[in-house]
Amino acid sequence: MSELDRALDAALRAMAAGDGPADLRARVMARLDERARPPRRRRLALAAAAGIALAVATVALLRTGPRPEPVPTAGRAASSASAVPPEETPVAAASPHAPPLPLAPARGRAPGAAPPPAGAASPAAPALEVEPIELTPLAVESMSAEPLTVTALRIERMQIEPLAEPQP
Amino acid sequence: MAFFPTSAPAAASIGRVSDAELVARARAGDTAAFGELVDRHRVAVYRAAHAALGSASEAEDVAQEAFLAAYRKMGAYRGDASFKTWLLRIAWRQARARRRRLAWRWRRLLSAGEPPSASTASGREERTPEATLIGAEMAAHVRRLVCALPARLRDPLLLCADGAQTYQEMAVVLGIPEGTLKWRVAEARRRLKERLARLGYGDE
């Protein structure tokens, strides 16, 4: 090996020298700790939030379950003169002492109630104890309409004078 | 050789453990074992990154990222090559990726003319015994001429410069055949000696 080769080797070794930071291990371990911690915490927090949301949703669904349809009874309020069709005011038909009504997929559901699925009652659904709703009959005033008076139309003959002959 | 168990702390026993054993422990979640691997190979990883980037600060960043990437990919290490070679391959790829980025090129362009620093993290340039012998002037010429070499010749030359790795290991790191690696190193040296001779540094 010539002197030039030896000198070149020395120069290249000097260029490639350097050990880097002595605290590289500490830096790498610190980064590993950072990466390990947040995802686990986030996962736990997300799981807890999901559980809470599920519980709240379940309670809300149970409370606002489908309402029983009110059935018209003999103790209907005095609204015989009412012109409103029965199906539009089902609430008025129920009497305060009526027994609990079965669930039925029909009109007259309480506002906000979830519609039951098509196919009517589900035999597998657990029986819910629903307290009868006390309803006060809705008093509807009868409408009074005055008879309409139509005046007969009189037609008078029109006097039409013939046109004068045109002058040439 | 008899083995005498002592009451020394567990960390002391890691020094006698092979890389393969440390890798197995690290895979099982033993971060202290991985820390020992970092300590063992940080110099080689840093030097490989520095060979690609020519900057101490960039090499530090890449070395850190390389170890983190190795930790994430620990399950993919099959043991075909040594752990050190596998680690250097990761570090080399990361260094090359950084080199390709436009921002790195702009920084190099802006700092053109400054000799690359083969120094420690403090940023001071260390004068090795070799640099003292050959003279600062020749060292500066060699540095400038090496930077002017094409990357395919410069990279193998610098990676093999410290003599810590074999040609076989470096060929795996670079992803080229060993014969190609040897040819490129020889060709790089030939060009450097030719240019140094023109500058008056020929054999006497």
Side-chain angles (χ1 to χ4, degrees), chain A residues 11 28 37 69 77 95 114 134:
Chain A
V28 170
R37 234 176 275 125
E69 185 184 2
S95 101
E134 294 190 358

Side-chain angles (χ1 to χ4, degrees), chain A residues 5 9 15 18 25 29 35, chain B residues 39 47 72 118 189 193:
Chain A
D5 279 307
D9 284 344
M15 279 189 74
R25 175 177 179 167
M29 302 313 287
R35 288 185 184 197
Chain B
D39 262 346
R47 288 182 180 179
R72 284 195 304 270
R189 291 180 67 91
K193 286 199 295 185

Side-chain angles (χ1 to χ4, degrees), chain A residues 37-135:
Chain A
R37 234 176 275 125
R40 213 178 295 146
R41 281 187 184 170
R42 269 193 224 125
R43 278 199 292 270
L44 284 173
L46 280 172
I52 292 170
L54 191 63
V56 168
T58 304
V59 168
L61 277 173
L62 288 173
R63 284 193 169 186
T64 61
R67 297 282 182 199
E69 185 184 2
V71 174
T73 62
R76 191 172 179 169
S79 58
S80 56
S82 169
V84 179
E87 52 267 21
E88 291 187 15
T89 54
V91 177
S95 101
H97 303 291
L101 301 169
L103 299 174
R107 289 166 273 178
R109 238 173 275 120
S122 53
L128 297 173
E129 292 199 358
V130 182
E131 295 179 352
I133 300 168
E134 294 190 358
L135 302 166

Side-chain angles (χ1 to χ4, degrees), chain B residues 151-184:
Chain B
R152 64 185 183 89
L153 296 181
R154 182 181 65 242
D155 293 343
L157 182 69
L158 291 176
L159 278 174
C160 299
D162 65 352
Q165 277 73 241
T166 64
Y167 278 120
Q168 189 182 12
E169 288 174 335
M170 284 298 105
V172 173
V173 170
L174 289 169
I176 58 177
E178 187 178 342
T180 304
L181 173 70
K182 288 179 178 176
W183 181 87
R184 290 183 183 179

Side-chain angles (χ1 to χ4, degrees), chain B residues 128-152:
Chain B
T128 62
E130 290 84 356
T132 306
L133 284 171
I134 62 173
E137 190 179 336
M138 184 184 175
H141 283 304
V142 169
R143 201 176 292 124
R144 184 175 51 82
L145 291 171
V146 166
C147 290
L149 285 172
R152 64 185 183 89

